Amino acid sequence: MPKPLRLALLLTFPGVLAAGSASAQEQQESMILSVSPKLVRWADVYKVRPERPDDPYYHVRVIERQKNWKVWQFNELASHMAVTPKALEASRIDKKAKIYNYKDVEIRSAYHRWLDEPATRSEVPVCDTDILSCIKKLPPATE
């Protein structure tokens, strides 16, 4: 099940990032989902503030990276997924790992499309258990 490698701009962040303002009205954080000696998986989590009544979800992009890869190499497991607050909490782990911040234009664009065009929401998977379990149920990515 090899996934394509992507090139991106990057900034390094040790450990789990605290929530911070990515823009005046958008909160963004990164959270570790799993850590092994060879692989790290994390989610970049987005939420517009103040919350909108028509969007009770968090929106995530899920990334995995083998520890021996060059810093610009990674697999995107989900480019955009809506996640319930309960599923987001169920996905959090206490482990820390070195993660990277890759260019996020695609997730931001997809998330704003979700907000601005409600008819497109059926195209986005909604996770209500935990992120890694939901990733396993997604169809294989096509490029």
Side-chain angles (χ1 to χ4, degrees):
M1 169 170 88
K3 306 263 189 219
L5 300 179
R6 298 176 179 258
L7 298 178
L9 301 173
L10 91 126
L11 300 168
T12 60
F13 295 98
V16 178
L17 297 176
S21 177
S23 71
Q25 296 181 8
E26 191 172 291
Q27 178 183 8
Q28 189 266 334
E29 75 170 307
S30 293
M31 60 183 270
I32 304 294
L33 302 173
S34 70
V35 179
S36 73
K38 295 182 180 181
L39 189 71
V40 176
R41 291 186 177 129
W42 70 91
D44 291 331
V45 183
Y46 299 83
K47 183 74 173 169
V48 168
R49 299 288 183 204
E51 288 192 35
R52 290 177 40 163
D54 67 331
D55 184 30
Y57 304 108
Y58 290 86
H59 296 264
V60 301
R61 173 186 185 202
V62 183
I63 296 170
E64 77 176 3
R65 188 175 174 286
Q66 290 186 23
K67 292 183 178 179
N68 64 344
W69 285 355
K70 303 287 186 193
V71 294
W72 60 85
Q73 295 176 305
F74 66 97
N75 288 331
E76 187 175 74
L77 301 178
S79 61
H80 180 206
M81 179 186 300
V83 179
T84 65
K86 185 176 179 180
L88 188 72
E89 281 308 308
S91 302
R92 290 187 188 277
I93 65 171
D94 291 333
K95 293 184 178 183
K96 296 186 186 275
K98 184 174 185 177
I99 60 174
Y100 298 86
N101 185 16
Y102 296 102
K103 184 174 80 172
D104 63 354
V105 173
E106 291 174 5
I107 175 66
R108 288 179 185 277
S109 175
Y111 181 23
H112 287 285
R113 184 171 174 226
W114 165 284
L115 293 171
D116 298 338
E117 301 173 35
T120 65
R121 293 181 182 180
S122 64
E123 300 167 12
V124 177
V126 176
C127 178
D128 62 2
T129 54
D130 70 85
I131 294 170
L132 291 179
S133 294
C134 292
I135 291 293
K136 291 176 185 173
K137 296 176 187 175
L138 292 178
T142 57
E143 297 251 343

